[in-house]
Amino acid sequence: MPKTDYIEQLRRRLVDLGCPIARVRRLVQEVTDHREDLKQTALAEGLSGVAAEIHADTLLGNPLDLAEGLAEALRRSSWWGRHSIIGFCVLPLLAVPLLWSLIMFVGLWLVFAFGYALDETRLHVAADNPVVFHHMSMLVHGADCLALALVTLLFCWLARRSGLSFKWTAIACAICSIYALFTWINIVPHSLSLGFSFPPHGSSPWIRLAMPLVTVALVYAFQRRTAHCYRESVAA
Amino acid sequence: MKKTNPIFLNGVPELLVLRLLSRREMYGYQIIEEIRAQTRETLSFGEGCIYPYLHYLEAEKLVSSRRREVDGRSRNYYKLTPRGGKRLDELTTEWKRVTTGISSLMGEQYA
C-alpha cells in the first residue's frame, strides 16, 4: 500500500471516529514517523523501496484497526471517556439545573449590579416603567436561552475533547431539552420566579425545548465543516 | 503488548515504558525497539500500539513530550515527569513484592 493510502486511511478513520482534529494531526504525524523508521530499517536490511514500504505497513497492521485503537486510547485517557454513561446520561440530570441556575444567577446579578448599581429601590422604580420592564423581560428570557445553550455547549465540548462519538453529545442534549421543556421562568413587575411543571407551561416552552437542539445542530454542523476543511487542506 | 500476553502482565507495559523513559528521552519506535531488545524479544508492543499508550501516560501527566529534530529527522520525544518518577517507584516496589511472592511459592528451581 503506498504511503499516502495507508496514512490517508488512518487519518480518515480517526476523523470519522470523532477524534479532535489537533489530536488527529499529532497521531498521524507520529504514525508517519514510525512508518518511516520501519521503512528505513527494512531498507538497511536490504529490501527494495516498495518491499520496505509493504514490510512497514504489514508491521503496523490494518490502518482502520490502528485508528480504532488510537481512538479508544483517547477515550480511555479522560474520566468522561471512561465513564461516558455516568458523564452524559446521569450527570446532566444533576448538572443541568445546577449550571443553569448558576448561569442565570450570575447573569441577572451582573444586570442588577451594572444596570442599577445594586440599588433595589432603583430596580423597583424601573420595573414600574412598562418600556423598561419589557426590556427587563426580554433580557431575562434571553439570559435563560443563553444559559441553556451554554450548558449544552459544555457537554458538547466534553464529548468532543474525550473523542466520544456524536451519540453521547446527542444524549446529553436530549436531557437538556427535556429539562428545558418542563422548567420555566416567569417575570412580572417586582417578581421573578423559576419553576418545574408537568405538563409544560410558561411563555415559551417550545423555544426552550429547541434551544439545546439548535445548539447541538450548530455544533454538529461546525464539526462536520471543520473535518471537511481539514480533509481538503490535507488533500491540497 | 502482544495479544498473547497473559492477564498477569497488566501494568507491566506501564512499568517498562516508564523505566525506559527514566533513563533518557525516547520516541515511539525507539521504545518498541528497546523493549524488544532488552527483553530478548520475550515482550514486545505491536507497532503503532505504543502511541495510544504514550498519549494515555501523557494525559495522566506521567510523561511529557516535545517535537525535536535529531540527525535531520523530526520526531516526538517523550520523557518522564516528576509524577511519572513517583509512579515508577510505586510500580517497581509492587513488581518486586509480586515477584518475590511468586518466587517463594514456585520454589528455588523456578526462581
PDB file of all heavy atoms in Angstrom, chain A residues 152-190:
ATOM      1  N   THR A 152     -25.584  23.158  27.201  1.00  0.00           N
ATOM      2  CA  THR A 152     -25.485  22.177  26.102  1.00  0.00           C
ATOM      3  C   THR A 152     -24.089  22.207  25.484  1.00  0.00           C
ATOM      4  O   THR A 152     -23.493  21.149  25.223  1.00  0.00           O
ATOM      5  CB  THR A 152     -26.539  22.486  25.020  1.00  0.00           C
ATOM      6  OG1 THR A 152     -27.796  22.656  25.648  1.00  0.00           O
ATOM      7  CG2 THR A 152     -26.641  21.381  24.007  1.00  0.00           C
ATOM      8  N   LEU A 153     -23.580  23.417  25.272  1.00  0.00           N
ATOM      9  CA  LEU A 153     -22.236  23.555  24.685  1.00  0.00           C
ATOM     10  C   LEU A 153     -21.167  22.885  25.546  1.00  0.00           C
ATOM     11  O   LEU A 153     -20.227  22.280  25.031  1.00  0.00           O
ATOM     12  CB  LEU A 153     -21.876  25.032  24.532  1.00  0.00           C
ATOM     13  CG  LEU A 153     -22.267  25.705  23.220  1.00  0.00           C
ATOM     14  CD1 LEU A 153     -21.898  27.169  23.268  1.00  0.00           C
ATOM     15  CD2 LEU A 153     -21.591  25.032  22.030  1.00  0.00           C
ATOM     16  N   LEU A 154     -21.336  23.011  26.865  1.00  0.00           N
ATOM     17  CA  LEU A 154     -20.369  22.401  27.782  1.00  0.00           C
ATOM     18  C   LEU A 154     -20.292  20.890  27.560  1.00  0.00           C
ATOM     19  O   LEU A 154     -19.195  20.320  27.447  1.00  0.00           O
ATOM     20  CB  LEU A 154     -20.765  22.708  29.231  1.00  0.00           C
ATOM     21  CG  LEU A 154     -19.936  22.032  30.303  1.00  0.00           C
ATOM     22  CD1 LEU A 154     -18.528  22.597  30.332  1.00  0.00           C
ATOM     23  CD2 LEU A 154     -20.570  22.185  31.685  1.00  0.00           C
ATOM     24  N   PHE A 155     -21.451  20.243  27.453  1.00  0.00           N
ATOM     25  CA  PHE A 155     -21.459  18.790  27.248  1.00  0.00           C
ATOM     26  C   PHE A 155     -20.941  18.420  25.851  1.00  0.00           C
ATOM     27  O   PHE A 155     -20.273  17.397  25.689  1.00  0.00           O
ATOM     28  CB  PHE A 155     -22.855  18.214  27.509  1.00  0.00           C
ATOM     29  CG  PHE A 155     -23.143  18.083  28.982  1.00  0.00           C
ATOM     30  CD1 PHE A 155     -23.892  19.039  29.652  1.00  0.00           C
ATOM     31  CD2 PHE A 155     -22.631  17.021  29.707  1.00  0.00           C
ATOM     32  CE1 PHE A 155     -24.127  18.943  31.012  1.00  0.00           C
ATOM     33  CE2 PHE A 155     -22.863  16.907  31.067  1.00  0.00           C
ATOM     34  CZ  PHE A 155     -23.611  17.871  31.724  1.00  0.00           C
ATOM     35  N   CYS A 156     -21.236  19.261  24.866  1.00  0.00           N
ATOM     36  CA  CYS A 156     -20.699  19.023  23.507  1.00  0.00           C
ATOM     37  C   CYS A 156     -19.171  19.063  23.547  1.00  0.00           C
ATOM     38  O   CYS A 156     -18.490  18.216  22.962  1.00  0.00           O
ATOM     39  CB  CYS A 156     -21.183  20.098  22.532  1.00  0.00           C
ATOM     40  SG  CYS A 156     -22.908  20.015  22.146  1.00  0.00           S
ATOM     41  N   TRP A 157     -18.649  20.040  24.253  1.00  0.00           N
ATOM     42  CA  TRP A 157     -17.197  20.218  24.327  1.00  0.00           C
ATOM     43  C   TRP A 157     -16.544  19.039  25.067  1.00  0.00           C
ATOM     44  O   TRP A 157     -15.517  18.508  24.632  1.00  0.00           O
ATOM     45  CB  TRP A 157     -16.893  21.539  25.040  1.00  0.00           C
ATOM     46  CG  TRP A 157     -15.443  21.784  25.266  1.00  0.00           C
ATOM     47  CD1 TRP A 157     -14.520  22.136  24.330  1.00  0.00           C
ATOM     48  CD2 TRP A 157     -14.750  21.684  26.520  1.00  0.00           C
ATOM     49  NE1 TRP A 157     -13.279  22.264  24.927  1.00  0.00           N
ATOM     50  CE2 TRP A 157     -13.389  21.993  26.264  1.00  0.00           C
ATOM     51  CE3 TRP A 157     -15.132  21.371  27.823  1.00  0.00           C
ATOM     52  CZ2 TRP A 157     -12.429  21.984  27.257  1.00  0.00           C
ATOM     53  CZ3 TRP A 157     -14.167  21.371  28.811  1.00  0.00           C
ATOM     54  CH2 TRP A 157     -12.844  21.680  28.525  1.00  0.00           C
ATOM     55  N   LEU A 158     -17.178  18.620  26.167  1.00  0.00           N
ATOM     56  CA  LEU A 158     -16.622  17.498  26.932  1.00  0.00           C
ATOM     57  C   LEU A 158     -16.588  16.221  26.087  1.00  0.00           C
ATOM     58  O   LEU A 158     -15.616  15.462  26.126  1.00  0.00           O
ATOM     59  CB  LEU A 158     -17.457  17.259  28.193  1.00  0.00           C
ATOM     60  CG  LEU A 158     -17.281  18.293  29.302  1.00  0.00           C
ATOM     61  CD1 LEU A 158     -18.344  18.123  30.372  1.00  0.00           C
ATOM     62  CD2 LEU A 158     -15.889  18.195  29.911  1.00  0.00           C
ATOM     63  N   ALA A 159     -17.660  15.989  25.311  1.00  0.00           N
ATOM     64  CA  ALA A 159     -17.706  14.787  24.465  1.00  0.00           C
ATOM     65  C   ALA A 159     -16.642  14.861  23.377  1.00  0.00           C
ATOM     66  O   ALA A 159     -15.949  13.882  23.089  1.00  0.00           O
ATOM     67  CB  ALA A 159     -19.090  14.646  23.840  1.00  0.00           C
ATOM     68  N   ARG A 160     -16.484  16.029  22.798  1.00  0.00           N
ATOM     69  CA  ARG A 160     -15.532  16.203  21.692  1.00  0.00           C
ATOM     70  C   ARG A 160     -14.096  15.990  22.164  1.00  0.00           C
ATOM     71  O   ARG A 160     -13.324  15.279  21.540  1.00  0.00           O
ATOM     72  CB  ARG A 160     -15.710  17.614  21.112  1.00  0.00           C
ATOM     73  CG  ARG A 160     -14.831  17.925  19.935  1.00  0.00           C
ATOM     74  CD  ARG A 160     -15.219  17.120  18.741  1.00  0.00           C
ATOM     75  NE  ARG A 160     -14.482  17.517  17.559  1.00  0.00           N
ATOM     76  CZ  ARG A 160     -14.466  16.808  16.454  1.00  0.00           C
ATOM     77  NH1 ARG A 160     -15.145  15.696  16.378  1.00  0.00           N
ATOM     78  NH2 ARG A 160     -13.790  17.213  15.410  1.00  0.00           N
ATOM     79  N   ARG A 161     -13.747  16.614  23.273  1.00  0.00           N
ATOM     80  CA  ARG A 161     -12.356  16.526  23.729  1.00  0.00           C
ATOM     81  C   ARG A 161     -12.009  15.118  24.229  1.00  0.00           C
ATOM     82  O   ARG A 161     -10.852  14.750  24.304  1.00  0.00           O
ATOM     83  CB  ARG A 161     -12.029  17.579  24.797  1.00  0.00           C
ATOM     84  CG  ARG A 161     -12.595  17.312  26.157  1.00  0.00           C
ATOM     85  CD  ARG A 161     -12.338  18.453  27.087  1.00  0.00           C
ATOM     86  NE  ARG A 161     -10.985  18.453  27.601  1.00  0.00           N
ATOM     87  CZ  ARG A 161     -10.595  17.806  28.700  1.00  0.00           C
ATOM     88  NH1 ARG A 161     -11.468  17.128  29.395  1.00  0.00           N
ATOM     89  NH2 ARG A 161      -9.356  17.864  29.120  1.00  0.00           N
ATOM     90  N   SER A 162     -13.045  14.346  24.595  1.00  0.00           N
ATOM     91  CA  SER A 162     -12.797  12.970  25.032  1.00  0.00           C
ATOM     92  C   SER A 162     -12.797  12.000  23.860  1.00  0.00           C
ATOM     93  O   SER A 162     -12.640  10.793  24.071  1.00  0.00           O
ATOM     94  CB  SER A 162     -13.870  12.531  26.035  1.00  0.00           C
ATOM     95  OG  SER A 162     -14.025  13.492  27.038  1.00  0.00           O
ATOM     96  N   GLY A 163     -13.026  12.501  22.653  1.00  0.00           N
ATOM     97  CA  GLY A 163     -13.023  11.638  21.467  1.00  0.00           C
ATOM     98  C   GLY A 163     -14.236  10.722  21.405  1.00  0.00           C
ATOM     99  O   GLY A 163     -14.187   9.667  20.779  1.00  0.00           O
ATOM    100  N   LEU A 164     -15.338  11.129  22.049  1.00  0.00           N
ATOM    101  CA  LEU A 164     -16.548  10.298  22.047  1.00  0.00           C
ATOM    102  C   LEU A 164     -17.368  10.558  20.787  1.00  0.00           C
ATOM    103  O   LEU A 164     -17.298  11.646  20.214  1.00  0.00           O
ATOM    104  CB  LEU A 164     -17.393  10.603  23.281  1.00  0.00           C
ATOM    105  CG  LEU A 164     -16.788  10.151  24.605  1.00  0.00           C
ATOM    106  CD1 LEU A 164     -17.562  10.747  25.768  1.00  0.00           C
ATOM    107  CD2 LEU A 164     -16.792   8.629  24.714  1.00  0.00           C
ATOM    108  N   SER A 165     -18.158   9.565  20.411  1.00  0.00           N
ATOM    109  CA  SER A 165     -18.963   9.726  19.204  1.00  0.00           C
ATOM    110  C   SER A 165     -20.093  10.726  19.468  1.00  0.00           C
ATOM    111  O   SER A 165     -20.395  11.066  20.622  1.00  0.00           O
ATOM    112  CB  SER A 165     -19.545   8.387  18.771  1.00  0.00           C
ATOM    113  OG  SER A 165     -20.506   7.973  19.698  1.00  0.00           O
ATOM    114  N   PHE A 166     -20.737  11.134  18.385  1.00  0.00           N
ATOM    115  CA  PHE A 166     -21.776  12.162  18.500  1.00  0.00           C
ATOM    116  C   PHE A 166     -22.983  11.664  19.300  1.00  0.00           C
ATOM    117  O   PHE A 166     -23.751  12.480  19.824  1.00  0.00           O
ATOM    118  CB  PHE A 166     -22.197  12.605  17.098  1.00  0.00           C
ATOM    119  CG  PHE A 166     -23.005  13.858  17.108  1.00  0.00           C
ATOM    120  CD1 PHE A 166     -22.416  15.068  17.377  1.00  0.00           C
ATOM    121  CD2 PHE A 166     -24.365  13.822  16.889  1.00  0.00           C
ATOM    122  CE1 PHE A 166     -23.165  16.227  17.421  1.00  0.00           C
ATOM    123  CE2 PHE A 166     -25.121  14.976  16.929  1.00  0.00           C
ATOM    124  CZ  PHE A 166     -24.524  16.186  17.194  1.00  0.00           C
ATOM    125  N   LYS A 167     -23.116  10.349  19.395  1.00  0.00           N
ATOM    126  CA  LYS A 167     -24.223   9.753  20.151  1.00  0.00           C
ATOM    127  C   LYS A 167     -24.303  10.318  21.572  1.00  0.00           C
ATOM    128  O   LYS A 167     -25.377  10.652  22.059  1.00  0.00           O
ATOM    129  CB  LYS A 167     -23.987   8.238  20.196  1.00  0.00           C
ATOM    130  CG  LYS A 167     -24.933   7.458  21.069  1.00  0.00           C
ATOM    131  CD  LYS A 167     -24.554   5.988  21.082  1.00  0.00           C
ATOM    132  CE  LYS A 167     -23.380   5.720  21.994  1.00  0.00           C
ATOM    133  NZ  LYS A 167     -22.979   4.308  22.051  1.00  0.00           N
ATOM    134  N   TRP A 168     -23.142  10.444  22.215  1.00  0.00           N
ATOM    135  CA  TRP A 168     -23.115  10.905  23.610  1.00  0.00           C
ATOM    136  C   TRP A 168     -23.503  12.371  23.707  1.00  0.00           C
ATOM    137  O   TRP A 168     -24.177  12.779  24.654  1.00  0.00           O
ATOM    138  CB  TRP A 168     -21.733  10.656  24.222  1.00  0.00           C
ATOM    139  CG  TRP A 168     -21.444   9.201  24.271  1.00  0.00           C
ATOM    140  CD1 TRP A 168     -20.623   8.497  23.425  1.00  0.00           C
ATOM    141  CD2 TRP A 168     -22.008   8.239  25.161  1.00  0.00           C
ATOM    142  NE1 TRP A 168     -20.646   7.166  23.750  1.00  0.00           N
ATOM    143  CE2 TRP A 168     -21.479   6.979  24.805  1.00  0.00           C
ATOM    144  CE3 TRP A 168     -22.901   8.312  26.227  1.00  0.00           C
ATOM    145  CZ2 TRP A 168     -21.826   5.811  25.477  1.00  0.00           C
ATOM    146  CZ3 TRP A 168     -23.243   7.152  26.897  1.00  0.00           C
ATOM    147  CH2 TRP A 168     -22.702   5.928  26.525  1.00  0.00           C
ATOM    148  N   THR A 169     -23.069  13.159  22.733  1.00  0.00           N
ATOM    149  CA  THR A 169     -23.471  14.572  22.709  1.00  0.00           C
ATOM    150  C   THR A 169     -24.984  14.644  22.568  1.00  0.00           C
ATOM    151  O   THR A 169     -25.648  15.440  23.241  1.00  0.00           O
ATOM    152  CB  THR A 169     -22.821  15.277  21.502  1.00  0.00           C
ATOM    153  OG1 THR A 169     -21.436  15.019  21.512  1.00  0.00           O
ATOM    154  CG2 THR A 169     -23.061  16.762  21.532  1.00  0.00           C
ATOM    155  N   ALA A 170     -25.531  13.802  21.674  1.00  0.00           N
ATOM    156  CA  ALA A 170     -26.978  13.819  21.421  1.00  0.00           C
ATOM    157  C   ALA A 170     -27.764  13.427  22.669  1.00  0.00           C
ATOM    158  O   ALA A 170     -28.805  14.026  22.971  1.00  0.00           O
ATOM    159  CB  ALA A 170     -27.306  12.883  20.272  1.00  0.00           C
ATOM    160  N   ILE A 171     -27.247  12.448  23.425  1.00  0.00           N
ATOM    161  CA  ILE A 171     -27.950  12.017  24.645  1.00  0.00           C
ATOM    162  C   ILE A 171     -27.989  13.160  25.669  1.00  0.00           C
ATOM    163  O   ILE A 171     -29.044  13.483  26.224  1.00  0.00           O
ATOM    164  CB  ILE A 171     -27.279  10.765  25.256  1.00  0.00           C
ATOM    165  CG1 ILE A 171     -27.514   9.562  24.349  1.00  0.00           C
ATOM    166  CG2 ILE A 171     -27.806  10.485  26.660  1.00  0.00           C
ATOM    167  CD1 ILE A 171     -26.731   8.322  24.731  1.00  0.00           C
ATOM    168  N   ALA A 172     -26.836  13.771  25.881  1.00  0.00           N
ATOM    169  CA  ALA A 172     -26.772  14.875  26.850  1.00  0.00           C
ATOM    170  C   ALA A 172     -27.675  16.026  26.403  1.00  0.00           C
ATOM    171  O   ALA A 172     -28.368  16.647  27.225  1.00  0.00           O
ATOM    172  CB  ALA A 172     -25.335  15.356  27.007  1.00  0.00           C
ATOM    173  N   CYS A 173     -27.684  16.274  25.098  1.00  0.00           N
ATOM    174  CA  CYS A 173     -28.507  17.351  24.557  1.00  0.00           C
ATOM    175  C   CYS A 173     -30.000  17.045  24.746  1.00  0.00           C
ATOM    176  O   CYS A 173     -30.787  17.935  25.072  1.00  0.00           O
ATOM    177  CB  CYS A 173     -28.174  17.526  23.093  1.00  0.00           C
ATOM    178  SG  CYS A 173     -29.438  18.333  22.166  1.00  0.00           S
ATOM    179  N   ALA A 174     -30.376  15.763  24.546  1.00  0.00           N
ATOM    180  CA  ALA A 174     -31.781  15.375  24.728  1.00  0.00           C
ATOM    181  C   ALA A 174     -32.206  15.612  26.178  1.00  0.00           C
ATOM    182  O   ALA A 174     -33.317  16.101  26.437  1.00  0.00           O
ATOM    183  CB  ALA A 174     -31.956  13.909  24.350  1.00  0.00           C
ATOM    184  N   ILE A 175     -31.322  15.299  27.108  1.00  0.00           N
ATOM    185  CA  ILE A 175     -31.635  15.526  28.526  1.00  0.00           C
ATOM    186  C   ILE A 175     -31.800  17.024  28.800  1.00  0.00           C
ATOM    187  O   ILE A 175     -32.719  17.448  29.496  1.00  0.00           O
ATOM    188  CB  ILE A 175     -30.555  14.891  29.429  1.00  0.00           C
ATOM    189  CG1 ILE A 175     -30.630  13.362  29.284  1.00  0.00           C
ATOM    190  CG2 ILE A 175     -30.736  15.293  30.886  1.00  0.00           C
ATOM    191  CD1 ILE A 175     -29.517  12.607  29.933  1.00  0.00           C
ATOM    192  N   CYS A 176     -30.905  17.818  28.193  1.00  0.00           N
ATOM    193  CA  CYS A 176     -31.013  19.284  28.356  1.00  0.00           C
ATOM    194  C   CYS A 176     -32.360  19.766  27.811  1.00  0.00           C
ATOM    195  O   CYS A 176     -33.017  20.623  28.410  1.00  0.00           O
ATOM    196  CB  CYS A 176     -29.890  19.995  27.599  1.00  0.00           C
ATOM    197  SG  CYS A 176     -28.275  19.764  28.305  1.00  0.00           S
ATOM    198  N   SER A 177     -32.777  19.216  26.684  1.00  0.00           N
ATOM    199  CA  SER A 177     -34.030  19.643  26.050  1.00  0.00           C
ATOM    200  C   SER A 177     -35.233  19.292  26.915  1.00  0.00           C
ATOM    201  O   SER A 177     -36.135  20.111  27.101  1.00  0.00           O
ATOM    202  CB  SER A 177     -34.193  18.953  24.695  1.00  0.00           C
ATOM    203  OG  SER A 177     -33.507  19.662  23.735  1.00  0.00           O
ATOM    204  N   ILE A 178     -35.236  18.051  27.417  1.00  0.00           N
ATOM    205  CA  ILE A 178     -36.369  17.616  28.259  1.00  0.00           C
ATOM    206  C   ILE A 178     -36.439  18.476  29.518  1.00  0.00           C
ATOM    207  O   ILE A 178     -37.503  18.927  29.931  1.00  0.00           O
ATOM    208  CB  ILE A 178     -36.231  16.114  28.604  1.00  0.00           C
ATOM    209  CG1 ILE A 178     -36.420  15.294  27.319  1.00  0.00           C
ATOM    210  CG2 ILE A 178     -37.230  15.690  29.666  1.00  0.00           C
ATOM    211  CD1 ILE A 178     -36.007  13.854  27.440  1.00  0.00           C
ATOM    212  N   TYR A 179     -35.257  18.711  30.077  1.00  0.00           N
ATOM    213  CA  TYR A 179     -35.201  19.567  31.260  1.00  0.00           C
ATOM    214  C   TYR A 179     -35.757  20.960  30.938  1.00  0.00           C
ATOM    215  O   TYR A 179     -36.558  21.515  31.692  1.00  0.00           O
ATOM    216  CB  TYR A 179     -33.741  19.667  31.738  1.00  0.00           C
ATOM    217  CG  TYR A 179     -33.589  20.670  32.822  1.00  0.00           C
ATOM    218  CD1 TYR A 179     -33.921  20.348  34.132  1.00  0.00           C
ATOM    219  CD2 TYR A 179     -33.171  21.961  32.537  1.00  0.00           C
ATOM    220  CE1 TYR A 179     -33.830  21.296  35.125  1.00  0.00           C
ATOM    221  CE2 TYR A 179     -33.078  22.909  33.515  1.00  0.00           C
ATOM    222  CZ  TYR A 179     -33.400  22.570  34.816  1.00  0.00           C
ATOM    223  OH  TYR A 179     -33.325  23.510  35.794  1.00  0.00           O
ATOM    224  N   ALA A 180     -35.346  21.495  29.777  1.00  0.00           N
ATOM    225  CA  ALA A 180     -35.785  22.844  29.388  1.00  0.00           C
ATOM    226  C   ALA A 180     -37.298  22.896  29.175  1.00  0.00           C
ATOM    227  O   ALA A 180     -37.944  23.903  29.477  1.00  0.00           O
ATOM    228  CB  ALA A 180     -35.066  23.267  28.118  1.00  0.00           C
ATOM    229  N   LEU A 181     -37.866  21.793  28.670  1.00  0.00           N
ATOM    230  CA  LEU A 181     -39.304  21.768  28.376  1.00  0.00           C
ATOM    231  C   LEU A 181     -40.141  21.875  29.652  1.00  0.00           C
ATOM    232  O   LEU A 181     -41.181  22.536  29.668  1.00  0.00           O
ATOM    233  CB  LEU A 181     -39.639  20.476  27.618  1.00  0.00           C
ATOM    234  CG  LEU A 181     -41.082  20.315  27.157  1.00  0.00           C
ATOM    235  CD1 LEU A 181     -41.449  21.399  26.146  1.00  0.00           C
ATOM    236  CD2 LEU A 181     -41.302  18.947  26.551  1.00  0.00           C
ATOM    237  N   PHE A 182     -39.678  21.214  30.700  1.00  0.00           N
ATOM    238  CA  PHE A 182     -40.509  21.145  31.910  1.00  0.00           C
ATOM    239  C   PHE A 182     -40.136  22.172  32.986  1.00  0.00           C
ATOM    240  O   PHE A 182     -40.702  22.158  34.073  1.00  0.00           O
ATOM    241  CB  PHE A 182     -40.466  19.731  32.496  1.00  0.00           C
ATOM    242  CG  PHE A 182     -41.086  18.719  31.578  1.00  0.00           C
ATOM    243  CD1 PHE A 182     -40.319  17.740  30.978  1.00  0.00           C
ATOM    244  CD2 PHE A 182     -42.434  18.782  31.274  1.00  0.00           C
ATOM    245  CE1 PHE A 182     -40.881  16.827  30.113  1.00  0.00           C
ATOM    246  CE2 PHE A 182     -43.010  17.884  30.408  1.00  0.00           C
ATOM    247  CZ  PHE A 182     -42.238  16.901  29.820  1.00  0.00           C
ATOM    248  N   THR A 183     -39.160  22.992  32.715  1.00  0.00           N
ATOM    249  CA  THR A 183     -38.859  24.062  33.670  1.00  0.00           C
ATOM    250  C   THR A 183     -39.312  25.390  33.053  1.00  0.00           C
ATOM    251  O   THR A 183     -39.451  25.487  31.841  1.00  0.00           O
ATOM    252  CB  THR A 183     -37.353  24.141  33.979  1.00  0.00           C
ATOM    253  OG1 THR A 183     -36.632  24.214  32.756  1.00  0.00           O
ATOM    254  CG2 THR A 183     -36.886  22.951  34.780  1.00  0.00           C
ATOM    255  N   TRP A 184     -39.515  26.345  33.879  1.00  0.00           N
ATOM    256  CA  TRP A 184     -39.951  27.635  33.325  1.00  0.00           C
ATOM    257  C   TRP A 184     -39.400  28.785  34.156  1.00  0.00           C
ATOM    258  O   TRP A 184     -38.954  28.610  35.293  1.00  0.00           O
ATOM    259  CB  TRP A 184     -41.471  27.729  33.238  1.00  0.00           C
ATOM    260  CG  TRP A 184     -42.221  27.351  34.482  1.00  0.00           C
ATOM    261  CD1 TRP A 184     -42.774  26.134  34.747  1.00  0.00           C
ATOM    262  CD2 TRP A 184     -42.472  28.162  35.632  1.00  0.00           C
ATOM    263  NE1 TRP A 184     -43.359  26.129  35.974  1.00  0.00           N
ATOM    264  CE2 TRP A 184     -43.213  27.361  36.541  1.00  0.00           C
ATOM    265  CE3 TRP A 184     -42.171  29.466  35.994  1.00  0.00           C
ATOM    266  CZ2 TRP A 184     -43.631  27.840  37.788  1.00  0.00           C
ATOM    267  CZ3 TRP A 184     -42.587  29.955  37.227  1.00  0.00           C
ATOM    268  CH2 TRP A 184     -43.313  29.135  38.117  1.00  0.00           C
ATOM    269  N   ILE A 185     -39.435  29.930  33.529  1.00  0.00           N
ATOM    270  CA  ILE A 185     -39.021  31.156  34.206  1.00  0.00           C
ATOM    271  C   ILE A 185     -40.097  32.200  33.909  1.00  0.00           C
ATOM    272  O   ILE A 185     -40.586  32.287  32.784  1.00  0.00           O
ATOM    273  CB  ILE A 185     -37.616  31.592  33.735  1.00  0.00           C
ATOM    274  CG1 ILE A 185     -37.126  32.797  34.518  1.00  0.00           C
ATOM    275  CG2 ILE A 185     -37.563  31.887  32.241  1.00  0.00           C
ATOM    276  CD1 ILE A 185     -35.636  33.011  34.414  1.00  0.00           C
ATOM    277  N   ASN A 186     -40.480  32.923  34.934  1.00  0.00           N
ATOM    278  CA  ASN A 186     -41.565  33.894  34.746  1.00  0.00           C
ATOM    279  C   ASN A 186     -41.179  35.223  35.394  1.00  0.00           C
ATOM    280  O   ASN A 186     -40.683  35.252  36.521  1.00  0.00           O
ATOM    281  CB  ASN A 186     -42.847  33.343  35.377  1.00  0.00           C
ATOM    282  CG  ASN A 186     -44.047  34.149  34.946  1.00  0.00           C
ATOM    283  OD1 ASN A 186     -44.099  34.642  33.821  1.00  0.00           O
ATOM    284  ND2 ASN A 186     -45.023  34.289  35.839  1.00  0.00           N
ATOM    285  N   ILE A 187     -41.410  36.294  34.660  1.00  0.00           N
ATOM    286  CA  ILE A 187     -41.108  37.613  35.235  1.00  0.00           C
ATOM    287  C   ILE A 187     -42.350  38.493  35.122  1.00  0.00           C
ATOM    288  O   ILE A 187     -42.975  38.590  34.056  1.00  0.00           O
ATOM    289  CB  ILE A 187     -39.858  38.258  34.559  1.00  0.00           C
ATOM    290  CG1 ILE A 187     -39.578  39.628  35.172  1.00  0.00           C
ATOM    291  CG2 ILE A 187     -39.974  38.319  33.045  1.00  0.00           C
ATOM    292  CD1 ILE A 187     -38.224  40.205  34.789  1.00  0.00           C
ATOM    293  N   VAL A 188     -42.728  39.062  36.273  1.00  0.00           N
ATOM    294  CA  VAL A 188     -43.797  40.078  36.315  1.00  0.00           C
ATOM    295  C   VAL A 188     -43.199  41.252  37.102  1.00  0.00           C
ATOM    296  O   VAL A 188     -42.178  41.067  37.772  1.00  0.00           O
ATOM    297  CB  VAL A 188     -45.071  39.546  37.026  1.00  0.00           C
ATOM    298  CG1 VAL A 188     -45.743  38.458  36.213  1.00  0.00           C
ATOM    299  CG2 VAL A 188     -44.754  39.069  38.424  1.00  0.00           C
ATOM    300  N   PRO A 189     -43.775  42.446  37.012  1.00  0.00           N
ATOM    301  CA  PRO A 189     -43.179  43.563  37.761  1.00  0.00           C
ATOM    302  C   PRO A 189     -42.978  43.204  39.239  1.00  0.00           C
ATOM    303  O   PRO A 189     -43.899  42.700  39.893  1.00  0.00           O
ATOM    304  CB  PRO A 189     -44.200  44.692  37.574  1.00  0.00           C
ATOM    305  CG  PRO A 189     -44.827  44.396  36.256  1.00  0.00           C
ATOM    306  CD  PRO A 189     -44.915  42.897  36.189  1.00  0.00           C
ATOM    307  N   HIS A 190     -41.784  43.400  39.712  1.00  0.00           N
ATOM    308  CA  HIS A 190     -41.360  43.175  41.108  1.00  0.00           C
ATOM    309  C   HIS A 190     -41.242  41.710  41.504  1.00  0.00           C
ATOM    310  O   HIS A 190     -41.118  41.411  42.685  1.00  0.00           O
ATOM    311  CB  HIS A 190     -42.308  43.892  42.101  1.00  0.00           C
ATOM    312  CG  HIS A 190     -42.575  45.299  41.730  1.00  0.00           C
ATOM    313  ND1 HIS A 190     -41.615  46.277  41.776  1.00  0.00           N
ATOM    314  CD2 HIS A 190     -43.707  45.901  41.257  1.00  0.00           C
ATOM    315  CE1 HIS A 190     -42.127  47.419  41.347  1.00  0.00           C
ATOM    316  NE2 HIS A 190     -43.394  47.213  41.016  1.00  0.00           N
TER     317      HIS A 190
END
